[in-house]
């Protein structure tokens, strides 16, 4: 894919979602880390409903490790995999207290060592909490990148991330990450993407294929 096509994609998505942002409610790096950890295989909407009360009850890492695991499980039981996530949270908080003075480390290499924190979570935290350029590849970013040809169908999540980092200007990584998520969440959905009205249909191999299939189906119905 040439640079002009990439620029066309980035500019179009910016026009569609100029105010894209992290939709997980948080007021600091610690809350963001907990929220992203909880968001694995769960919608941001559900996470925000849970953290509304959670963040009132638990303010610091010490608060999370001071309660029985069963109590924390009950507080997040609406979240998928809540038992594992409760364990991760308490272990993570213990490490923050013991090794980082109760603060979330800013370094990506340190973040990925924490329980329940993978590369995607670390990228979200460093970019949103600390302003460090990064592109977190979630299901939306992966799907959109592959449909638009920014990455290959067979690419792993890490390969998608590397290709986006190579093709997108570094000073646009953070906003591009948010805009692609919005594009995937509200427009280029996994099911029933809005191909007929998509301004990127001209460069979308998935969209062109879907439109051809739709046209064939209509012709058969009219025959």
């Amino acid at each position: 894919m040439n640079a002009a096509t990439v620029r066309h994609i980035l500019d179009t998505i910016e026009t569609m979602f100029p105010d894209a942002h992290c939709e997980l409610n948080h007021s600091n790096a610690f809350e963001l880390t907990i929220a992203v950890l909880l968001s694995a295989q769960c919608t941001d909407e559900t996470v925000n409903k849970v953290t509304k009360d959670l963040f009132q009850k638990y303010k610091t890492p010490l608060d999370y490790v001071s309660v029985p695991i069963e109590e924390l499980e009950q507080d997040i039981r609406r979240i998928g995999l809540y038992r594992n996530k409760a364990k991760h949270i308490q272990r993570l908080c213990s490490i923050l207290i013991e090794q980082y003075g109760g603060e979330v480390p800013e370094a990506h290499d340190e973040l990925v060592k924490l329980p329940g924190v993978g590369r995607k979570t670390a990228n979200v935290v460093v970019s949103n909490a600390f302003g460090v350029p990064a592109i977190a590849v979630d299901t939306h970013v992966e799907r959109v990148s592959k449909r638009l040809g920014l990455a290959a169908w067979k690419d792993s999540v890490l390969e998608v991330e590397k290709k986006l980092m190579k093709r997108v200007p570094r000073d646009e990584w953070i906003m591009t990450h948010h805009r692609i998520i919005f594009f995937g969440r509200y427009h280029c959905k996994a099911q029933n993407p809005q191909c007929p009205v998509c301004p990127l249909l001209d460069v979308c191999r998935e969209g062109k294929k879907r439109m051809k299939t739709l046209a064939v189906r209509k012709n058969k119905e009219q025959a």
Side-chain angles (χ1 to χ4, degrees):
M1 178 176 288
N2 61 45
T5 301
V6 174
R7 189 71 260 165
H8 169 58
I9 291 172
L10 297 181
D11 289 345
T12 300
I13 294 178
E14 178 184 3
T15 299
M16 295 175 71
F17 301 103
D19 301 318
H21 58 278
C22 177
E23 292 192 296
L24 289 170
N25 295 333
H26 64 282
S27 59
N28 54 54
F30 177 58
E31 288 186 353
L32 178 60
T33 303
I34 298 298
V36 182
L37 188 157
L38 292 173
S39 72
Q41 299 181 38
C42 185
T43 65
D44 287 1
E45 182 180 7
T46 300
V47 173
N48 286 337
K49 289 178 181 177
V50 171
T51 57
K52 182 178 181 181
D53 294 327
L54 193 74
F55 291 163
Q56 288 296 317
K57 180 177 180 179
Y58 303 95
K59 301 290 187 180
T60 68
L62 184 60
D63 293 335
Y64 284 97
V65 299
S66 298
V67 299
I69 187 70
E70 295 80 11
E71 183 175 343
L72 180 55
E73 287 177 354
Q74 289 303 309
D75 290 332
I76 64 171
R77 64 176 295 111
R78 285 181 288 173
I79 299 284
L81 306 173
Y82 70 92
R83 286 193 174 90
N84 279 337
K85 291 177 180 178
K87 291 177 184 176
H88 286 324
I89 288 172
Q90 286 202 332
R91 285 172 53 211
L92 180 151
C93 288
S94 293
I95 292 172
L96 292 183
I97 294 169
E98 295 167 6
Q99 300 181 25
Y100 300 100
E103 300 293 329
V104 174
E106 294 187 26
H108 189 280
D109 291 347
E110 296 298 314
L111 281 167
V112 293
K113 295 177 184 177
L114 299 173
V117 178
R119 186 174 182 85
K120 185 204 80 172
T121 299
N123 282 343
V124 172
V125 173
V126 298
S127 61
N128 288 281
F130 303 120
V132 178
I135 298 178
V137 179
D138 67 355
T139 55
H140 298 299
V141 175
E142 181 180 10
R143 180 177 68 254
V144 169
S145 297
K146 291 181 176 182
R147 282 179 173 177
L148 292 174
L150 291 167
W153 293 116
K154 61 179 176 56
D155 283 347
S156 66
V157 171
L158 181 57
E159 288 170 331
V160 172
E161 180 186 335
K162 287 181 177 179
K163 286 186 177 179
L164 289 175
M165 289 168 67
K166 184 177 180 181
R167 288 175 167 149
V168 177
R170 193 172 189 273
D171 61 352
E172 296 180 40
W173 285 0
I174 297 176
M175 284 310 304
T176 295
H177 158 246
H178 291 312
R179 287 166 184 156
I180 292 180
I181 287 178
F182 269 52
F183 184 77
R185 182 175 288 160
Y186 303 113
H187 181 81
C188 189
K189 302 175 183 178
Q191 302 296 326
N192 301 316
Q194 299 177 42
C195 301
V197 295
C198 183
L200 289 175
L201 183 61
D202 60 324
V203 296
C204 181
R205 52 187 177 177
E206 173 81 3
K208 290 176 181 177
K209 182 179 178 181
R210 284 177 177 268
M211 293 304 291
K212 282 184 180 179
T213 301
L214 184 61
V216 170
R217 189 179 303 153
K218 285 185 177 180
N219 288 335
K220 286 184 178 179
E221 292 174 353
Q222 294 173 355

